[in-house]
Amino acid sequence: GNILPFELTEIRPEISGRVVSINFKEGSFVQKNTLLAKLFDQDLQAQLNKLKVQLQIAEKTEEREQELLKISGISQQDYDLSLLQVNNIKADMELIRVNIGKTEINAPYSGRIGLRNISLGAYVTPASLITSISQVDMKKLSFSVPEKYSSDIKPGMKVIFNIEGSESTYTATVLAAETIIESQTR
């Protein structure tokens, strides 16, 4: 059989952009959600600031129109349009925040970082490989069994194995069994 990392993930950005910081060392261990790399986001930050100003003005307008509505100074429709403007700006702000979040590439789980495939200042796309991460605190053992024994392998079953070059005996628990039978070896 083969011993594999429990999880192995290629880290790629969700969006295109210029790399402004790289926050990991090759081969280091990182915790889940650690910021690995950051893409340029100053344009998005500027858009967010613009929307914050617009929101302040729209909220003041909505408050004034709410007071006017109480004394029948404006129609309900005019007030509803003012409230709609406030809610639209809030939705636009949330969209910008989501896009800012996409400029931050974080570790999906705790694990060991692989080799770095980018440099500071590089322009990356979703197809660009930044690095890989593997969960090394747990391992997977992938092994084949003859067809006649395949029905004996069940999830939860204990498997005892040795590693070449080690005199120790290890125990693993079967998580799943693949039902494909190799035509050459059966």
Side-chain angles (χ1 to χ4, degrees):
N2 295 313
I3 296 177
L4 309 166
F6 193 72
E7 296 286 348
L8 177 61
T9 305
E10 290 183 340
I11 305 295
R12 299 178 189 272
E14 286 187 60
I15 61 172
S16 298
R18 181 172 44 89
V19 178
V20 294
S21 72
I22 298 172
N23 305 320
F24 65 90
K25 286 202 272 184
E26 296 170 309
S28 66
F29 187 85
V30 297
Q31 295 298 320
K32 180 178 181 172
N33 294 324
T34 298
L35 180 65
L36 301 175
K38 175 78 173 146
L39 304 181
F40 179 81
D41 73 348
Q42 288 181 355
D43 54 340
L44 296 171
Q45 294 289 352
Q47 289 176 23
L48 184 60
N49 289 335
K50 178 182 172 185
L51 287 171
K52 285 177 183 177
V53 171
Q54 289 177 353
L55 180 62
Q56 288 174 346
I57 294 168
E59 285 176 335
K60 286 179 184 176
T61 302
E62 182 265 335
E63 288 172 14
R64 286 187 208 115
E65 289 187 0
Q66 187 177 36
E67 293 301 318
L68 287 172
L69 181 63
K70 288 178 184 175
I71 60 170
S72 299
I74 61 168
S75 68
Q76 180 70 44
Q77 181 179 2
D78 288 339
Y79 170 73
D80 289 345
L81 288 174
S82 180
L83 184 61
L84 176 65
Q85 178 69 18
V86 168
N87 289 332
N88 281 342
I89 293 172
K90 286 180 180 178
D92 288 344
M93 289 174 70
E94 186 58 30
L95 180 62
I96 295 292
R97 284 187 187 105
V98 168
N99 286 333
I100 289 171
K102 289 180 180 182
T103 66
E104 298 175 351
I105 298 129
N106 297 312
Y109 47 81
S110 297
R112 187 158 313 281
I113 293 292
L115 297 176
R116 181 168 53 102
N117 293 301
I118 58 167
S119 294
L120 202 57
Y123 185 83
V124 295
T125 68
S128 303
L129 176 64
I130 292 174
T131 188
S132 62
I133 185 172
S134 55
Q135 189 177 13
V136 293
D137 55 347
M138 289 180 33
K139 303 275 193 237
K140 281 195 265 192
L141 175 64
S142 173
F143 61 95
S144 300
V145 294
E147 176 184 9
K148 66 181 180 179
Y149 300 120
S150 64
S151 62
D152 295 338
I153 305 296
K154 306 268 188 253
M157 177 180 176
K158 299 291 183 196
V159 176
I160 298 171
F161 66 98
N162 298 341
I163 297 175
E164 192 173 322
S166 172
E167 295 181 16
S168 300
T169 300
Y170 301 95
T171 303
T173 303
V174 174
L175 296 177
E178 186 75 57
T179 57
I180 296 172
I181 298 173
E182 295 179 22
S183 60
Q184 294 177 352
T185 62
R186 300 214 51 81

